[in-house]
Every structure is written in C-alpha cells, then in structure tokens.
Amino acid sequence: MRPIVIFGAGVRPDGTPTATLRHRVAAAASYGLARQSVLFIPTGGTPDGRPAEAAIMADLLRAAGVAEAAILREETAGDTLDSVLAVSAMLRRMGHRGPVAVASSAYHLPRCLALMRLAGWKVVRVPPPDVPASRRFARRWYWRLREIPAVPWDLLLLARRRRGRGAGD
C-alpha cells in the first residue's frame, strides 16, 4: 500500500472548498487512481468550527471515484507541520515503512516534501495541479513569497522536535 498524503488548503466560511483545495485533491486522485493499492490521506482540521479540510477532501475524493476504504482522514492538523507530524504518527502506528507520495500545490510542494523527508520518509512527488494557485499575478506571488520564511521555520521546528523526541512521537 502506498499512502498519498494530500495537504489541506483553505475552506470558505460556508464550508465549501476553495479552488486550491479542489485542485490538490484532483491532482492526488488522478495520480492515485492510476495506481494500485493506494491509501489517500487528506490532512487538515479547522480552527473555527467549519468542516475539517480533510473531511471536505474526503468528499471530493469519493466524488472522483475513490472508494471510502481507500481514504484515511487526518482531521487534527492546524498547519503544514502539524500535518506532517500527525500523518507520520498515523503511518508509524500502521507499521508503514515504505515511501509516501505527497500532494499539494506547486508553490507549497517543496516545503511538504522537505518536511516529510526530515520526518524520516522517502517521498514521491505527486505532480501538482496544472493551474496556478491564483489567477491574479499579485496573489500568486503572495503565496510563493509566503513559503520563503515558512520553509526554514518549519524545518527548524521539526529538526528541534526530532532531536528532542523523535519525529511523529
């Protein structure tokens, strides 16, 4: 079984998925449905009572033809690092030791891959959605530039956690 971790994205106040979330799920579904024996792991909670990102992604996966038995939701994570830690713990409890496929948007994927590697996983890159995170030029660059401080910050936090307790513990 190859897990495919799908990193969450925002949910609108009315509980509907954003375009970014829909695109990430579509890319992961396309990748996974072309393979045998995969487990989709959508990850992401909610801080404010809206439906969890993982629950919404699970609905989108089912609508794309993924069987319920092939979906394992992680609904507690509040951010990318939380997702890496929560999914790592889940996979270790399941006894998984092999590679993990990682799905996200193009601007976010390098951070997800780096964090999963630092958490001890061999990773496989799921091709990101073909569409940009935003149609507006300024908004696209906002998301890209936002990753610049986030990458070293999350890597530092994960490295400190690994040194202190072990990743995913």
Side-chain angles (χ1 to χ4, degrees):
M1 172 232 15
R2 167 147 315 160
I4 301 172
V5 179
I6 311 167
F7 284 84
V11 174
R12 292 187 184 98
D14 66 359
T16 58
T18 59
T20 298
L21 191 65
R22 286 193 321 271
H23 294 312
R24 288 180 185 182
V25 172
S30 175
Y31 177 86
L33 290 171
R35 286 155 179 76
Q36 295 180 2
S37 188
V38 297
L39 177 65
F40 292 89
I41 306 177
T43 181
T46 181
D48 57 9
R50 287 181 276 186
E53 294 168 5
I56 291 170
M57 288 191 284
D59 290 343
L60 293 170
L61 286 166
R62 284 190 298 275
V66 175
E68 180 68 37
I71 302 170
L72 177 63
R73 300 184 311 212
E74 188 299 301
E75 297 182 337
T76 67
D79 60 27
T80 302
L81 181 56
D82 286 349
S83 290
V84 168
L85 296 171
V87 167
S88 292
M90 287 171 65
L91 291 171
R92 287 189 175 96
R93 280 192 304 272
M94 294 168 47
H96 182 73
R97 300 286 181 252
V100 176
V102 177
S104 189
S105 301
Y107 72 88
H108 189 237
L109 194 55
R111 177 164 45 136
C112 298
L113 292 167
L115 289 171
M116 290 296 289
R117 282 186 190 112
L118 191 57
W121 300 104
K122 179 179 179 189
V123 295
V124 175
R125 177 186 171 271
V126 172
D130 289 335
V131 296
S134 175
R135 290 184 187 145
R136 295 189 332 237
F137 179 80
R139 194 75 177 148
R140 272 197 315 271
W141 275 99
Y142 164 79
W143 288 112
R144 291 173 185 164
L145 293 173
R146 184 174 176 252
E147 290 296 300
I148 292 171
V151 171
W153 178 250
D154 277 354
L155 291 173
L156 174 67
L157 290 176
L158 185 54
R160 286 186 65 207
R161 184 177 285 249
R162 279 193 62 168
R163 189 178 54 221
R165 292 187 293 216
D169 294 340

